[in-house]
Amino acid sequence: MAGAAAWSAHDAQPAAWALAAPLATLGLLLCARAAARLALWLYAAFLRPARPLRRRYGTWAVVTGATDGIGRALSFRLAAADLGLVLVGRSPDKLAAVSAEVKARHPGAQVRTFVLDFAGDGLAAKVDALGEFLGELDIGVLVNNAGACYPYARYFHEVDEALVRNLIRLNVDAVTRVTHAVLPGMVRRGRGAVVNIGSGASAILPSDPLYTVYAATKAYIDQFSRCLYVEYRSKGIDVQCQVPMLVATKMASIKTSSFFVPSPDTYARAAIRYIGYEPRCTPYWTHALLWFLGSFVPEPVADKMILNVALDVRTKGRAKDAKRKTH
């Protein structure tokens, strides 16, 4: 019996080594894969050169929602890349102000403006007019930035019809129609880039409770962009969905930037370098870091955390509403 036990123990050693070798190999491969992904991310985030937008895509860029936030900041970056600008927004005064500032910062820049209120009625006719305005311009880059969010967090049954209609019109209908108006010219010229500003609410977070309709519209943008990327890549057109997290803008109701919440200009500096690369990206590096760290949190835990934050925002928002009504 003792001899049999000794033989079994001796015989088990080669079997253990035989099992350990492939496991060690698998571990090394996983480590190498992780290291390669980290190296590629570091290169893309900090070292990869920006595309030569004018030479690669065309001489003009169209930016919707160009008078505030990310759209305004991207307009200055596109002008710095030697692109002419067509600024689209609903306020003639703000458009004129941004146009003047672009020309002051970049003497010789070509800037045109087009007043378009995406939230109003008659959207189809308005976008048709924009298409005619663009005419035969060599539109190389389209940035669909105009969008809307909730004034503050609220349950779905508390969202009124006007807000739902506005969100869908700006975040879905407007992006779809403007892209449809600009793409034919890009197809004829065999080049172009479409950049749609999505949101981490749909592409990074597992859920965005109390902002349900907003998150759903941005999920549309994500899939819309991905499908167009596959459709038009062979025609020389790059379609990209950028998915930022929080940026210090009016829409986010954040006035001060921080480590994880960049200013619009800081975000735009990163965003411009990503145009023409991945079909979906998170250009600002701390946003990508949040995405990575968040991937380790179990979804039920993340859902609960996000819901608690949203409930706090809802409480503060309702208190402000009540205060305004009393005054």
Side-chain angles (χ1 to χ4, degrees):
M1 291 291 293
W7 181 86
S8 297
H10 182 270
D11 188 57
Q13 291 179 4
W17 279 107
L19 182 62
L23 289 176
T25 302
L26 178 61
L28 286 173
L29 289 174
L30 291 174
C31 288
R33 180 173 178 267
R37 292 181 66 180
L38 176 61
L40 288 172
W41 176 74
L42 290 171
Y43 172 69
F46 302 108
L47 300 173
R48 187 171 64 184
R51 298 283 196 194
L53 301 181
R54 183 184 178 98
R55 186 170 73 245
R56 184 181 178 90
Y57 297 121
T59 55
W60 288 83
V62 178
V63 183
T64 67
T67 58
D68 290 298
I70 292 173
R72 182 178 182 277
L74 276 172
S75 297
F76 289 106
R77 293 291 167 183
L78 291 166
D82 199 29
L83 288 168
L85 294 176
V86 179
L87 307 178
V88 181
R90 64 182 178 180
S91 170
D93 293 340
K94 286 186 176 182
L95 285 172
V98 175
S99 176
E101 192 173 349
V102 169
K103 291 175 181 177
R105 289 194 199 180
H106 305 283
Q110 298 184 73
V111 184
R112 301 184 184 185
T113 62
F114 189 88
V115 179
L116 198 165
D117 183 1
F118 290 113
D121 294 328
L123 180 59
K126 293 176 182 178
V127 174
D128 286 346
L130 173 63
E132 292 177 9
F133 178 81
L134 299 177
E136 294 302 317
L137 290 179
D138 180 17
I139 305 299
V141 179
L142 166 63
V143 179
N144 281 309
N145 167 75
C149 189
Y150 290 23
Y152 58 85
R154 57 193 66 184
Y155 285 99
F156 178 60
H157 73 272
E158 298 171 338
V159 180
D160 60 69
E161 184 180 347
L163 179 55
V164 171
R165 185 170 60 249
N166 191 54
L167 287 167
I168 294 173
R169 188 173 290 165
L170 266 74
N171 297 353
V172 175
D173 203 9
V175 173
T176 305
R177 290 182 181 277
V178 172
T179 304
H180 193 264
V182 174
L183 264 178
M186 292 181 172
V187 172
R188 285 196 304 272
R189 292 183 292 271
R191 60 180 186 173
V194 177
V195 180
N196 297 322
I197 304 300
S199 173
S202 64
I204 296 177
L205 301 180
S207 67
D208 198 16
L210 277 65
Y211 291 95
T212 298
V213 179
Y214 170 77
T217 61
K218 289 301 184 177
Y220 170 87
I221 295 302
D222 187 36
Q223 186 68 345
F224 177 67
S225 303
R226 178 69 190 190
C227 293
L228 290 183
Y229 166 79
V230 176
E231 281 185 46
Y232 288 95
R233 191 179 183 189
S234 64
K235 300 182 185 298
I237 301 169
D238 293 322
V239 181
Q240 181 183 76
C241 181
Q242 294 195 359
V243 287
M245 298 287 278
L246 291 175
V247 178
T249 63
K250 289 181 181 178
M251 190 175 84
S253 299
I254 300 174
K255 297 180 180 179
T256 306
S257 60
S258 61
F259 183 70
F260 287 112
V261 184
S263 68
D265 184 63
T266 299
Y267 175 81
R269 191 183 309 125
I272 204 79
R273 294 180 52 251
Y274 271 77
I275 295 177
Y277 287 105
E278 298 84 359
R280 181 209 275 168
C281 63
T282 301
Y284 191 58
W285 73 274
T286 64
H287 289 175
L289 178 61
L290 282 173
W291 191 345
F292 174 73
L293 295 175
S295 67
F296 293 98
V297 180
E299 285 193 3
V301 176
D303 288 339
K304 183 65 175 177
M305 292 169 60
I306 298 165
L307 177 61
N308 287 338
V309 171
L311 286 170
D312 184 56
V313 173
R314 174 179 177 271
T315 299
K316 293 176 180 177
R318 287 168 66 88
K320 288 182 180 179
D321 271 357
K323 188 176 180 179
R324 278 194 294 267
K325 289 175 182 178
T326 58
H327 290 77

